[in-house]
Amino acid sequence: MANPKKKLIHVSLSQILDQSFPGPKQPISARSLFRDWKWDFRDAEKGRLTSVSDSRMIIDWARYLEPPSEADDGHEKAYLSRMVTAEIRLVAFFYYHAPGNFGAKQRSARTKPNTLTGIIRSLVVLFSEIDELREQYHNALVALRLSPGRFVKLRSLSEVCLEDLRDVVAESKRVDGRSLKRGLDIICSPLFRGRFAGELQWNKEDLTTLEFRYPQERANLRRNMPDELFRFLSDTASEDVTGFLQFLGRSPADQSSPPNIPNSLRDISNGEACFDCYVEIRDRDRAAAHRRGKKIADSKTLRDRLRNHFGVSPIDVFTYLLRVRNAALTVVGLYTGARWSDYSSFVKGCIQIRHGHPVLVGTLVKGQDVDAPEQEDIWPAIPILLDAVACLEELSRVTHNPYLFSASDTVPIGAAPLPLSVVGFTTAINDYLSNCDVNGDWAAWRINPHQLRHTLANQLAKADVGTVFISYQLKHLYTALASLPADVTLGYGNLAQQRMDRAVAQTEANMAAARALFHPDAPVAGGGATEFRKRRKVYFEGKAAAGWSIDETIQVLAGAGMPFVSVGPGYCGGVREETLKDGSTRAPPCIGDLQCNPGECQQAVVTLTHKRHWERIVEKNEEMATDPRLQHAKENFEKAIRTGRKVLADLAVGS
């Protein structure tokens, strides 16, 4: 076993070319040597590996060797000769320590263990299936008395011919084309010349002629959630999150979500004391389990107090806290756009102030070196995210688990806390949807973490925040964006003054907006609606005369970009300077910002995509018009209400 404190080497090009390197005692990881039959890449000090299962962090070479007998069923169904296994081990060692020498386009000094294990397993399956195919052919020749003797497995990768690869790669249902192609590319490297028992019979150009099979993604893996589902989950989860904080006697950061507290707990006058009592119950049982070596309840007095004083049972509180946890996980999933590996890095205390604004601080995993500094990546935190994290931090008092994404069980004394698995997270969100969807409207819908990411990108595109912020939020850009202040919400921030690109990266959102604006039958409102409808009608009549369909015309218009700039509740066509016939320029007819009113301005057009915005304008102004503290401005609020209702009435025509 390697010394855990031993620093791993940097493998140079000269060492790769050295036929005597690596030696049997050369470290492959902090836990294993090159000679070991089990390579263990686990490292508790590497936060970027926290979300990776143990099965992706260990290569057990002994399991790939030919079983000693036909009756042995303790091995994986992929067996290789000792010599082929040794050659693949050599490939694995060098690709792990020096991926850049084999064409890997990555910033990491070493290959990530889970990437390496995936590649190696795909190669093992490939060559074991080639062995199986060759054995079938050999047995057929024996049956025809055309070949005597016992079948011998591949003794070197150099014995594999291109036709062997072609036969298995195209037909095998067990081979993953993505990792397999990468593995074969590595083996083809000229740096391995002379390392195998003979010369390879195929090269990189030969690999381009193979038809690799790639796993089929589930139909809804990348499908965006419908707006109605996104809104339903967001509203319901937000209400549960703010409700729990109110139950504890706290003021939520998000004041727009009406708090929801179950009927069984609504009449409790001191929710914080009730929660503290339940925490004490879990702590008492945890200590008892540690003393006796098994799960046991040792909190009868406290349980009786919970029932008698607060009128609820421990199971009532547990059920409520489970709903709150799932609601908080849903909020974080809906509004961060993080990958699962990123979620598992969020721990208690992850809300920090950067550039004067709150952010979630965690560790970005994909595309990053496992040895890079951790807990330095940020995700902008809107108010409801702050509330969701606050709920999860309170629940950590029950679980004794610092990971925000954690199971509902209490971590035993002396046990290492772990984040929730991706399956656990997926189950939590779908259970939450199932429990909240009392009418069964979304019974057939199954949510996955990747879908959350795609849906947020789609929603950000519709909110007109621009592709730069979308890329930053989803961690697709790592250059100068990293230095931008994270003071961005859906509507405002340091990127809000840019010309919104209509987020062309999101085709669906762009097409939906274009269809709502350009379709000749689409209702539009606003001060400039009448003139715009006339121009639109003439334009489409001309296109129809030229043989263009409506959909074809809209698609071309969408690809050309919007002729307007979004100002929130509508589109403005007058924000650019106008060049007059005499060559002079005329400033835009308005100054925008707070004095912009698309409902009356002759330069503005409002579409169905802005309907919800106007509904909120009416709702908010109705609320302020009845507020005794704001009666001095009541006339202004009522005017805004009349404008908003007219816009909504115009949009209702033909919708």
Side-chain angles (χ1 to χ4, degrees), residues 8 37 133 166 176-177 205 236 241 290 304 378 428 477 609:
L8 297 180
W37 281 102
L133 196 63
R166 197 181 309 281
D176 179 356
E205 290 187 9
T236 307
V241 163
H290 179 67
D304 290 341
I378 61 175
L477 299 180
T609 59

Side-chain angles (χ1 to χ4, degrees), residues 186-216:
I186 299 167
I187 291 175
C188 282
S189 171
L191 297 179
F192 286 122
R193 196 162 293 159
R195 284 286 193 165
F196 306 139
E199 291 296 320
L200 290 180
Q201 300 181 44
W202 37 274
N203 54 39
K204 287 183 180 289
E205 290 187 9
D206 292 329
L207 295 181
T208 62
T209 67
L210 301 180
E211 297 181 5
F212 290 92
R213 293 172 60 94
Y214 297 97
Q216 295 296 315

Side-chain angles (χ1 to χ4, degrees), residues 323-430:
R323 180 183 175 101
V324 170
R325 184 205 69 158
N326 292 348
L329 294 181
T330 299
V331 168
V332 178
L334 288 174
Y335 286 108
T336 59
R339 299 178 178 89
W340 165 249
S341 52
D342 306 329
Y343 289 137
S344 63
S345 72
F346 295 147
V347 295
K348 189 174 181 179
C350 67
I351 295 294
Q352 297 181 16
I353 302 298
R354 300 285 179 89
H355 306 287
H357 293 270
V359 295
L360 273 77
V361 179
T363 301
L364 181 64
V365 175
K366 187 172 182 179
Q368 304 299 297
D369 195 321
V370 295
D371 296 320
E374 298 173 357
Q375 297 297 314
E376 291 189 0
D377 301 299
I378 61 175
W379 285 260
I382 58 177
I384 192 59
L385 270 179
L386 300 178
D387 292 335
V389 171
C391 288
L392 294 172
E393 289 185 335
E394 283 297 324
L395 296 180
S396 69
R397 294 176 55 199
V398 176
T399 62
H400 289 270
N401 193 329
Y403 292 103
L404 298 189
F405 280 57
S406 66
S408 56
D409 298 333
T410 299
V411 177
I413 295 176
L418 295 172
L420 197 64
S421 68
V422 64
V423 174
F425 173 56
T426 303
T427 300
I429 289 188
N430 284 284

Side-chain angles (χ1 to χ4, degrees), residues 625-642:
T626 58
D627 191 329
R629 299 169 299 177
L630 302 175
Q631 290 305 296
H632 61 283
K634 183 176 181 178
E635 183 178 343
N636 293 328
F637 299 142
E638 290 177 341
K639 180 181 178 182
I641 293 170
R642 291 193 296 270

Side-chain angles (χ1 to χ4, degrees), residues 33-61:
L33 302 177
F34 180 72
R35 69 184 180 188
D36 295 333
W37 281 102
K38 180 178 287 187
W39 289 359
D40 189 345
F41 297 97
R42 292 175 296 181
D43 191 340
E45 296 181 0
K46 303 297 182 186
R48 287 185 170 83
L49 302 178
T50 303
S51 61
V52 182
S53 64
D54 285 353
S55 64
R56 300 297 304 274
M57 297 293 292
I58 295 173
I59 301 179
D60 189 351
W61 295 105

Side-chain angles (χ1 to χ4, degrees), residues 252-269:
D254 177 18
Q255 295 292 320
S256 64
S257 300
N260 176 49
I261 303 174
N263 292 331
S264 60
L265 300 170
R266 195 166 294 166
D267 294 333
I268 296 177
S269 59

Side-chain angles (χ1 to χ4, degrees), residues 77-78 121-133 136 163-178 180 184 210-216:
K77 295 184 178 181
R121 289 174 186 177
S122 68
L123 291 175
V124 169
V125 169
L126 171 70
F127 294 123
S128 67
E129 290 199 356
I130 288 177
D131 264 331
E132 292 172 9
L133 196 63
Q136 292 173 10
E163 288 307 310
D164 289 330
L165 295 176
R166 197 181 309 281
D167 290 341
V168 174
V169 166
E171 300 298 330
S172 174
K173 295 181 180 180
R174 301 168 59 200
V175 171
D176 179 356
R178 282 192 292 258
L180 177 61
L184 293 176
L210 301 180
E211 297 181 5
F212 290 92
R213 293 172 60 94
Y214 297 97
Q216 295 296 315

